[in-house]
Amino acid sequence: MSALWVSSLLVLIPVLAALLTLGLRRTPHLAARVASGAAIVSVVVGIIGMAVAPTRNQRTAQPSDTFHVGDLEMPLALGSGPTTAAVAAIVALVAAVVLVFTQWYLDDDDRLAQFAATVSLFTAAMMLVVHARDLVLTLIGWEVMGWCSYLLIGHWSRKESARRAAYKSFIVTRVADIGFVLGIVGLSAGAGSTGLDAVVSHWTGEGGAVPEPWTRSVLLALVVIGVLGKSAQFPFQDWLPDAMEGPTPASALIHAATMVAAGTVVLAQLFPVLVLADGARWLLGIAVAMTMVGAAALALGQSDLKRLLAWSTVSQVAIMLSALATATEAIGPDPGLFHLWSHAIFKSLLFLTIGWLSVVAGSTLAMALRGSGHVHQLALVAWLFGLLALAGAPFVVGGLSKEHVIVTAYEGAIGSGGPGVVVLAALLVTVVLTAAYATRAYLVVAAPDGERSVSTRSHAVGDETAAHELDETAVLEEQHDHSGMPSAPVLASLALLTVLTVVGGLVMLTGLFNLHRASMWWMLLTALLIGIGAGVVWLARGYGDPRNAFVRTVRQRTLADNGFGFDTAYRRLVAGPVLWLARIVEFLDREVVDGYVRGAAASAGIAGWLTDRGHRREAPSAGVGLVALGLIVAAGTAVLTWR
Amino acid sequence: MTLQISWALLLPALIPVAAMLLVLVVDAVVPRASLAAPVIGALGLLGGAVAAVPGLDAGDPRLTLCTPAPDGRCMWDGSPLASTLQIAALLATLGVLALMSWRKAGVVDVVMLLASASGAVAVVAATDLGTWLIALELATLPVIALVAWRDRRAAAHGALTLLTTSLVSFGLLVLGAALWVTATGDPTLTGPSLATAWAVPEQRVLASLATVVLIAGLAFKISAVPFHAWTPTTLTSGPLPISALLASASKIAAVGALLVVLAPYESVLDLSPGPHTVVAALVIVTVASMLTGTVMALRQTEVVRLLAWSTIAQAGWVLLPLTALSVAGRQAAAIYVLVYAVASLVAFAAVRAIHGQHVEDGRELTAYKGLLRRDPIAGGTLAVALLVLAGLPPGIIGLVAKVMTIRPVVDAGLWPVAVVAVVAAVLGIAVYVRWFAVMFGDPDASAPKRPGRRRASVAVAVAGTAVLVVTSVLPQVLLGLVS
C-alpha cells in the first residue's frame, strides 16, 4: 500500500463510517460498534502509513487533474509526508479510543449513534486537514470541524449551558475564521493556484518573482488569526473551557487530536512562508506567550478539574504554536508537531481518565473528585503518568517534546529576529505553573481514601458549588446505575494510552520527526523548574485542595473559574458594539433607506392620482380627444422637422 | 408583369384563409354541425403554425411575391423573425379559440378569429405598403366585431371606442403610407430606397414625417400612450377571450407591423444627419407608455382593468429597444412581445378559469385572497405569469427579456431612456407583486364560485405556463428563434 493510498483511505474510512453510522441510528449500539470498528481499521491503516511513509524531502502529492476556476488552478490533491503519517496515525488512534470509550460512557444516551457519527465526521475533517495539499481542501476540513465541534459540544442540547457553550464556540471560531478565509484567499490568489506547493513556492519567492514582504506578513497574520481562534488562543481562548459542557469523549477528541491542534498542522504546512513573515510570527509569538502563561495560571485556580484540563490544553497548544513562531528555517516545524503528537496521547489519556473518575464521583468538581483515584489502580496510574507528561517530566513523552520546544525557542531567541526571547521567558514560567497545577490535580485525585467522604460532605454547602450548578454528570447520574467500572475494551484502551505516554517518545527513533538533539543543560534546568513548581504545591497540600493556598478569597476563585472574566469582556467589547452597530444600521435602514422607498411609493401614488384624473372620462369622446392630441404631436413634429 | 410566387412561403397565411372559407361552406351546407366550425378553425390555425416552422432556421433569404429582375422587389419576407411571430400569433389565436367554450364559438366567431389570424400572419411578413396596410386592417378590424358580437351594452360601448380608434388609426396609416411613397418613390419598405431618399433633405424630412405618422397609427394598435385611451374600456367591457386576443395575437401583429416599418432605418442609422425625429417620436411614446401604464396599473383594484393598464405599460417595454433602431433592438422587441403575449394569455386564461367568461362584479383583487390554496392550478399559473410580467425570478424569462430590451438602448447611448426603463421596472414589480401577494394566505368566505366549464381555460393556462417555465430554464431556446 503506497503512502498516497493510505492518505486517501484515512480520509475516506471515517466519512463512510459517519454515513453508515447515521444510517444505523435506529440501533444505536450497533451503530457505535460500527463506528469504533471503522476507527480501529483506520488505526491499522495509520500504522501502515507510518511504515510506508515517504522519507524526508520526498513529499508526495496525488497526481490529479487540475481544475481551473477562472485563472485559478485547483489541484484538489491529497498528499503524505513523514510527519503527516505520524500525526495521522495518532489522530486515528485517539479517535478509535474515544469511540470505544463513548460506547461505555454514553451507553444509555438516546443519541449515541448521532454522537458516534459526528465523531467520525470530525475525524475525517481532521484527516483532510492533515493530508490536504490544497488550501481549498484545508478550508473544507477546517469548516467541517467547526460545525462538528458545535454539534458535539451541544450534544446535551437540553441543557441551556450546553447550548450556550456550543453557540459560543461556533461564533468565536467563526469570527476568527474571517481572518483564516481572507488569508487563504489572498495566498491562493497571489500564487494563482490553491495547491499548497504552488502557494509555498510563490510566497517564498522560489518561483522567481519575490513577493512583497508586507503583503506576505499581512496574509500570514490573517491565517494566524484564524488559527488563534480555532486553537483557543488569546484573545479567543474563552470558548474552550466553556466547551467542557460537552460530553467528556467529545472534549477528549477536540482537545487531544483534532480541532485545537488543526491550527498547528496548517501553520506547519505553511511553515516555509511563515518563517519569512516576521509580522505574523510576532503576532503568533506574543499571542501564544500571553496564552500559555495566563491559561496555566487559570488552570491552577479552577475548582473544576475538567476545566483545569481545558485550560491546560489552551496552554499546551500555545506551547506547540510557540515552536512554530520561534523556529528557524533550519529547525523547521517538526518540534511543534512532535509536541502535538505527544500532547494527543497524554491529553486523551487524561480526559478519558477524568471521564471515568467523574462517573465514580458524580461530578467533575475538585472537591467531589477528592480521593476518587482509589477506585481502581489503573485510574491512578493513568492519571499519574498523564500528569507527568503534562508537567513535562523528563523522558515521558510530554517531557521530551516540551524539551524540544524549549530548545527551539532558545535557538530562535539567539538565532533570528523573531519573538524568541519573549516566548522563551513565557515557556519557562509556564513550565513552573504547569508542574504546579499538575501536582495539584494529582494530589486531589490521589488524596487518602478516608478523606473523601468527609471532604465531599463538608464542601457540599461550600462556596464552590456556585460555579457549576448544572454539571454534565448530573445527566449521567441517571444513566449509569453500574458501579462506575468501565468495560474491558475501555480499560485496555486506557492501558494502551498509558503505555504510549511512557514510551511514546521512542517515535523519535523512527525518524518521522526531524528533530535536533536536545541539550542536557536545558533538560536539567527544566527539571529544576518542574521541581520548584511541584514542590511549592506539595508544601501547600495541607489545605485540602492545594489550590486554596493560592486563591484564597471567593472573589479570586470566581475570577479564576470565569477565566478572568473574558466572557463578560466578549459581551462588552464585541457583542455590545456589534449589536449597537446593528441597531444603527437598522435605524438608518428604517428611517433613511426606507424613507426613499416610502417617498417613491408616495410619488408613484401621486403620479397615479394625477394620471387617473386625466382618464376619468373613458368615453369615445375622450378617446377622440386623445387622438386629437396625438395628431397635434405628430403635426408638431412635422413642423419642427420641416426646415 | 408576372410575380414569382413560392406558395410554400405563403402557406402560413393561406391555410387559415382556406379554413375560413371551409367553415363558411360547411356552415352553408350543414348548418347544424355546430362543432365543425371550431374544429376546422383550430386545425387551420394549427396547420398555419406548422407551415411556418420551416422558416425558423432558414439560412437562405425566404423572399417571394417578387417582381422580375433586374428591378426585383419582393413583397413577402418569411425570415426567421417573421416566422416566429407568425407561429406565436397563430398559437395565441388558437389559445383564444380554446378560451371561448367550444359550444359557444359560433361560425362568426371562428371566421373572425381566422381572419384576424391570417391578417396577423401576413402583416409581419409583408414588405410592401399595400399588403402591409390591408393585412394590418385584416388583423384588427374583425376584433371590433368580436368585441361587440354577442354581448351586452357595455361591450357595444367598448366596441364603439375601438371602432373610433381604429378609424383614426387607419386614416393615419394611409396618410403615412402615402407620405412614404412620396418621399421614397417606392411602395416597398426597403433600406436601399430609404437610403437614397435620405440623401435629399426634402425627401429625408418627408420620410421622417411618414414614419412618425405611421408610428402614431400603429401606436393605437399597440395601445401606447397617448393613443391608448380605448384599451381599458374595451378590455374590461368585452368578453374575456377577446380581451386576451387583443392583448396577445393583436399585439404580436401590431409589433410585427412596426418591425417591418422600422427595418429600413437600419441602413440610414450611420448617416449624417441620423433619423433623430423617428428616435424622438419613439422615445416620447415609449417613456409615456411605461410611466403612465405603470402608475395607472398601480391604482387599479379590478384585475382586468389592471391587466389592461399593464398592457399599456408593457407596450412601452416593447417599444423601448426599438428606439435604438438596430437589428438587436428589433430582435429584443420581438422576444419581449412573445414573452409578454404568452404571459398575458396565461393571465387572462387564469382569470377566465377563476371568474368565467362574462363581465361581472367581483373581479376585484380581494377575490384572489388565498387563491394558491383554494385553486392551486389556476393560482399557480397566474403566479408564474405575474412573475414573468414583473421580471422577477423564478420567472426568469421575463427578466431576460427586460435585460435584452435595455441593452440595445444602452448600446445606442440613450441613457436617460434606460434610466426611465429601470424606474418603470421597479414600479412594475410593485404592480404585479401587489396581486401576487394577495394570492397567499388563507382563503375567506367571499371567494367567487368556480365556473362550471373551465377545462379549456385551465389547459391554455397550463400550456402557456409550460412555455414560460421551459424558456425560463433554457432562455437560449427563445433567443435562438429570432437571431
Side-chain angles (χ1 to χ4, degrees):
Chain A
M1 197 167 3
S2 79
L4 288 175
W5 265 101
V6 170
S7 49
S8 307
L9 278 180
L10 283 177
V11 175
L12 281 181
I13 292 174
V15 171
L16 296 177
L19 292 176
L20 198 59
T21 311
L22 210 55
L24 292 171
R25 65 185 180 281
R26 306 223 177 269
T27 49
H29 289 99
L30 177 64
R33 234 168 282 148
V34 167
S36 315
I40 290 166
V41 172
S42 284
V43 175
V44 175
V45 175
I47 291 170
I48 295 174
M50 280 172 78
V52 301
T55 50
R56 195 145 306 285
N57 303 325
Q58 192 200 332
R59 311 206 93 188
T60 49
Q62 269 174 341
S64 63
D65 296 333
T66 304
F67 292 95
H68 287 273
V69 182
D71 293 335
L72 206 61
E73 278 181 16
M74 232 186 246
L76 296 181
L78 297 176
S80 184
T83 44
T84 307
V87 171
I90 207 67
V91 170
L93 177 71
V94 170
V97 170
V98 162
L99 278 167
V100 168
F101 186 81
T102 303
Q103 279 190 68
W104 169 72
Y105 189 79
L106 293 179
D107 188 39
D108 301 332
D109 195 292
D110 52 345
R111 286 166 60 225
L112 171 63
Q114 283 91 329
F115 187 85
T118 315
V119 168
S120 294
L121 189 60
F122 203 145
T123 315
M126 182 63 186
M127 287 294 190
L128 189 62
V129 170
V130 169
H131 289 115
R133 287 288 173 272
D134 186 306
L135 292 177
V136 170
L137 294 181
T138 306
L139 194 62
I140 292 172
W142 188 266
E143 297 297 326
V144 172
M145 264 196 279
W147 180 61
C148 287
S149 70
Y150 167 78
L151 292 178
L152 289 178
I153 294 167
H155 180 70
W156 282 317
S157 52
R158 277 158 286 205
K159 274 165 66 185
E160 166 64 29
S161 56
R163 285 202 301 275
R164 184 175 191 273
Y167 282 137
K168 185 170 168 181
S169 81
F170 193 73
I171 290 172
V172 172
T173 55
R174 192 43 38 104
V175 168
D177 279 355
I178 296 171
F180 190 78
V181 173
L182 286 179
I184 294 271
V185 168
L187 288 174
S188 308
S193 166
T194 59
L196 187 64
D197 298 330
V199 166
V200 167
S201 71
H202 174 83
W203 289 100
T204 49
E206 276 173 29
V210 180
E212 184 82 26
W214 185 81
T215 323
R216 180 168 58 200
S217 273
V218 168
L219 290 176
L220 256 289
L222 286 169
V223 174
V224 164
I225 288 172
V227 167
L228 293 179
K230 210 71 151 189
S231 302
Q233 302 295 297
F234 179 82
F236 305 105
Q237 80 283 12
D238 207 53
W239 67 265
L240 194 63
D242 283 13
M244 291 299 103
E245 294 297 335
T248 302
S251 308
L253 188 68
I254 294 176
H255 287 239
T258 53
M259 180 132 162
V260 295
T264 311
V265 173
V266 171
L267 283 185
Q269 286 169 343
L270 291 171
F271 183 77
V273 189
L274 177 69
V275 80
L276 299 173
D278 277 337
R281 287 175 73 202
W282 272 101
L283 175 68
L284 183 63
I286 300 290
V288 298
M290 289 178 73
T291 313
M292 68 174 90
V293 177
L298 282 171
L300 189 57
Q302 294 302 302
S303 58
D304 183 325
L305 285 196
K306 206 176 159 198
R307 285 172 77 90
L308 179 148
L309 288 183
W311 282 115
S312 88
T313 303
V314 175
S315 179
Q316 295 293 315
V317 172
I319 291 174
M320 291 173 212
L321 290 171
S322 73
L324 295 175
T326 56
T328 58
E329 206 171 349
I331 294 178
D334 286 13
L337 288 173
F338 183 39
H339 194 58
L340 188 166
W341 202 83
S342 62
H343 177 255
I345 298 175
F346 70 73
K347 190 50 64 74
S348 55
L349 175 66
L350 285 171
F351 263 109
L352 297 186
T353 311
I354 202 168
W356 177 9
L357 295 179
S358 68
V359 172
V360 173
S363 168
T364 55
L365 290 179
M367 58 185 177
L369 285 168
R370 196 162 173 76
S372 62
H374 296 288
V375 67
H376 196 281
Q377 198 64 34
L378 178 60
L380 207 53
V381 171
W383 190 243
L384 173 63
F385 279 104
L387 289 172
L388 277 176
L390 175 62
F395 305 116
V396 288
V397 70
L400 289 171
S401 60
K402 194 177 284 183
E403 204 55 49
H404 279 98
V405 172
I406 291 174
V407 172
T408 305
Y410 172 69
E411 295 284 337
I414 59 170
S416 76
V421 181
V422 181
V423 169
L424 185 63
L427 271 173
L428 296 179
V429 175
T430 309
V431 168
V432 179
L433 287 169
T434 309
Y437 71 72
T439 312
R440 176 207 162 202
Y442 181 73
L443 286 176
V444 168
V445 168
D449 217 5
E451 279 183 33
R452 186 179 165 211
S453 53
V454 179
S455 67
T456 315
R457 213 174 305 127
S458 65
H459 282 79
V461 288
D463 49 324
E464 300 174 6
T465 37
H468 271 265
E469 286 174 69
L470 257 174
D471 206 67
E472 71 161 275
T473 39
V475 183
L476 278 175
E477 261 178 17
E478 303 158 15
Q479 298 174 359
H480 282 269
D481 46 359
H482 45 70
S483 60
M485 271 314 287
S487 59
V490 173
L491 292 177
S493 311
L494 285 177
L496 174 67
L497 285 176
T498 313
V499 171
L500 275 178
T501 305
V502 179
V503 304
L506 295 178
V507 76
M508 288 168 72
L509 301 180
T510 64
L512 290 173
F513 292 104
N514 180 21
L515 299 169
H516 299 257
R517 260 201 351 208
S519 102
M520 195 51 75
W521 290 108
W522 276 110
M523 206 172 268
L524 281 176
L525 178 62
T526 324
L528 185 67
L529 290 173
I530 293 171
I532 292 172
V536 168
V537 173
W538 177 261
L539 291 176
R541 73 188 184 282
Y543 286 83
D545 185 341
R547 170 181 79 126
N548 298 352
F550 305 104
V551 271
R552 289 159 188 274
T553 66
V554 179
R555 202 161 158 266
Q556 286 168 347
R557 283 171 206 176
T558 317
L559 196 63
D561 281 337
N562 291 344
F564 293 141
F566 259 84
D567 192 78
T568 319
Y570 287 171
R571 266 184 288 143
R572 293 254 169 86
L573 297 178
V574 183
V578 167
L579 285 176
W580 190 66
L581 197 65
R583 268 182 222 117
I584 291 181
V585 171
E586 191 209 359
F587 173 81
L588 288 178
D589 187 48
R590 198 178 55 230
E591 300 300 330
V592 180
V593 179
D594 278 9
Y596 289 114
V597 175
R598 280 194 295 268
S603 27
I606 292 169
W609 179 77
L610 285 174
T611 325
D612 208 18
R613 289 280 304 240
H615 290 86
R616 279 286 158 81
R617 292 164 61 220
E618 284 177 10
S621 57
V624 173
L626 284 172
V627 167
L629 180 69
L631 275 177
I632 290 166
V633 170
T637 324
V639 172
L640 285 176
T641 51
W642 197 276
R643 274 171 297 198
Chain B
M1 189 172 84
T2 52
L3 281 177
Q4 293 171 333
I5 298 177
S6 161
W7 291 103
L9 296 184
L10 299 176
L11 274 182
L14 293 181
I15 292 177
V17 172
M20 181 168 71
L21 293 176
L22 191 61
V23 168
L24 290 173
V25 170
V26 168
D27 184 52
V29 177
V30 203
R32 291 204 184 163
S34 64
L35 264 183
V39 169
I40 296 170
L43 288 176
L45 292 168
L46 210 54
V50 171
V53 167
L56 289 181
D57 67 341
D60 315 323
R62 289 163 50 88
L63 302 167
T64 186
L65 295 182
C66 297
T67 54
D71 193 26
R73 299 278 163 81
C74 296
M75 300 182 217
W76 186 280
D77 180 7
S79 63
L81 184 72
S83 301
T84 311
L85 291 176
Q86 286 172 343
I87 294 174
L90 289 167
L91 292 182
T93 314
L94 184 63
V96 171
L97 182 60
L99 286 187
M100 304 173 162
S101 71
W102 289 110
R103 285 166 212 286
K104 280 195 179 174
V107 175
V108 177
D109 299 283
V110 175
V111 167
M112 295 292 174
L113 276 183
L114 285 170
S116 164
S118 52
V121 168
V123 76
V124 296
T127 52
D128 78 295
L129 280 166
T131 318
W132 183 81
L133 258 181
I134 293 168
L136 186 57
E137 291 312 312
L138 186 59
T140 45
L141 286 179
V143 185
I144 303 171
L146 281 172
V147 172
W149 176 237
R150 52 167 87 239
D151 237 311
R152 299 168 304 185
R153 232 183 106 70
H157 175 73
L160 183 61
T161 312
L162 187 54
L163 179 65
T164 331
T165 311
S166 293
L167 287 176
V168 178
S169 157
F170 182 65
L172 283 173
L173 292 173
V174 170
L175 176 63
L179 285 170
W180 180 276
V181 175
T182 315
T184 61
D186 183 1
T188 58
L189 293 153
T190 48
S193 53
L194 179 64
T196 318
W198 205 259
V200 186
E202 285 76 20
Q203 286 178 318
R204 179 169 69 232
V205 171
L206 210 53
S208 298
L209 185 61
T211 315
V212 171
V213 173
L214 285 175
I215 290 171
L218 280 171
F220 280 105
K221 317 257 181 206
I222 303 180
S223 61
V225 178
F227 311 100
H228 63 289
W230 60 274
T231 317
T233 316
T234 311
L235 259 61
T236 46
S237 58
L240 265 178
I242 305 308
S243 303
L245 181 74
L246 278 167
S248 57
S250 294
K251 194 77 88 180
I252 293 173
V255 172
L258 186 57
L259 294 181
V260 171
V261 170
L262 294 181
Y265 272 89
E266 200 191 321
S267 57
V268 299
L269 199 53
D270 298 327
L271 298 182
S272 175
H276 302 301
T277 320
V278 177
V279 173
L282 284 170
V283 165
I284 291 169
V285 173
T286 302
V287 169
S289 302
M290 282 198 294
L291 291 180
T292 311
T294 312
V295 293
M296 284 300 285
L298 260 178
R299 291 180 63 81
Q300 307 306 320
T301 54
E302 203 260 302
V303 291
V304 178
R305 193 164 281 268
L306 191 155
L307 281 175
W309 281 106
S310 113
T311 300
I312 295 165
Q314 302 284 352
W317 278 97
V318 175
L319 292 172
L320 175 67
L322 295 175
T323 56
L325 288 178
S326 59
V327 183
R330 279 185 288 136
Q331 287 172 348
I335 287 174
Y336 198 93
V337 78
L338 289 178
V339 172
Y340 165 73
V342 177
S344 69
L345 188 59
V346 170
F348 273 106
V351 171
R352 160 82 178 74
I354 292 158
H355 292 287
Q357 185 168 8
H358 289 289
V359 187
E360 278 169 41
D361 295 335
R363 290 200 301 211
E364 299 291 320
L365 277 181
T366 46
Y368 286 73
K369 195 159 178 289
L371 183 71
L372 281 174
R373 283 202 201 159
R374 181 152 51 86
D375 190 350
I377 297 178
T381 51
L382 181 60
V384 171
L386 291 177
L387 287 176
V388 169
L389 288 174
L392 284 180
I396 296 167
I397 190 63
L399 185 63
V400 170
K402 279 197 163 57
V403 172
M404 284 203 62
T405 55
I406 293 184
R407 193 182 293 161
V409 178
V410 173
D411 288 344
L414 297 167
W415 282 101
V417 185
V419 170
V420 171
V422 170
V423 171
V426 174
L427 289 176
I429 289 173
V431 171
Y432 301 106
V433 168
R434 203 163 63 101
W435 191 351
F436 185 71
V438 174
M439 297 199 290
F440 287 96
D442 294 320
D444 51 16
S446 67
K449 259 179 61 181
R450 233 183 249 201
R453 277 199 295 270
R454 58 170 221 156
R455 227 173 295 156
S457 312
V458 171
V460 171
V462 169
T465 307
V467 172
L468 293 177
V469 169
V470 168
T471 48
S472 286
V473 177
L474 304 165
Q476 64 271 28
V477 171
L478 185 61
L479 306 193
L481 282 181
V482 296
S483 55

